[in-house]
């Protein structure tokens, strides 16, 4: 598995993007609302890996609840896999918990799926399948 991006929960993209852009470089980045997840995201390029900034669009969304409980900070690591469905199925097969049983539509038209943090020592892990 190759590291694809690092997800960071933020209160406001308008505050976080200018703070992160000098560190990771890159030009203006578009914001994208991820349908159904109650989150807006911006990806900043950092070499072969990206930084994904996540802003909740409503307090009862997963990222909104994360912010309320823990504040801004590291939210998840995302790994590129050939098949999100196969990666999730492998976790289920070995008895680990998953957030998503199968892949779903993520940002930028990519198929994504989340493991439960208990599967990776308390770290929320996302699988990403690039088209
Ligand atoms: Co992500």
């Amino acid at each position: 598995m190759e590291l694809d991006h690092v997800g960071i929960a933020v209160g406001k993209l308008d505050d976080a993007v200018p703070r992160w852009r000098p560190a990771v470089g890159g030009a203006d980045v578009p914001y994208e609302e991820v349908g159904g997840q109650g989150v807006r995201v911006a990806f900043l390029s950092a070499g072969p890996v990206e930084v994904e900034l996540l802003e909740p669009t409503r307090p009862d969304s997963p990222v909104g609840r994360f912010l309320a409980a823990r504040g801004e900070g590291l939210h998840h690591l995302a790994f590129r896999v050939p098949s999100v469905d196969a990666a999730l199925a492998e976790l289920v097969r070995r008895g680990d918990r998953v957030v998503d049983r199968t892949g779903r539509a993520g940002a930028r038209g990519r198929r994504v799926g989340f493991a439960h943090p208990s599967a990776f020592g308390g770290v929320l892990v996302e699988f990403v399948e690039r088209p």
Side-chain angles (χ1 to χ4, degrees):
M1 299 195 301
E2 278 182 42
L3 190 60
D4 184 86
H5 65 265
V6 176
I8 297 171
V10 304
K12 284 270 170 246
L13 285 178
D14 286 344
D15 297 333
V17 168
R19 190 163 63 231
W20 277 92
R21 197 158 49 207
V24 300
D28 283 353
V29 290
Y31 298 173
E32 178 182 348
E33 187 151 352
V34 183
Q37 294 302 305
V39 69
R40 278 201 309 166
V41 302
F43 284 89
L44 290 89
S45 177
V49 175
E50 291 176 299
V51 172
E52 176 187 31
L53 302 173
L54 306 109
E55 172 199 273
T57 57
R58 48 172 210 267
D60 65 341
S61 64
V63 175
R65 288 194 300 268
F66 177 94
L67 273 183
R70 300 167 68 166
E72 293 189 314
L74 187 60
H75 182 260
H76 66 270
L77 297 181
F79 292 93
R80 210 170 302 146
V81 294
S83 164
V84 168
D85 286 348
L88 293 168
E90 172 61 17
L91 289 182
V92 171
R93 193 194 60 75
R94 73 183 199 199
D96 280 321
R97 293 169 66 194
V98 292
V99 173
D100 300 301
R101 300 288 296 196
T102 60
R104 55 180 166 79
R108 300 183 296 181
R110 291 171 186 177
R111 194 170 167 78
V112 304
F114 283 86
H116 188 274
S118 61
F120 290 97
V123 177
L124 180 61
V125 166
E126 175 185 10
F127 297 121
V128 183
E129 187 180 320
R130 295 199 177 209

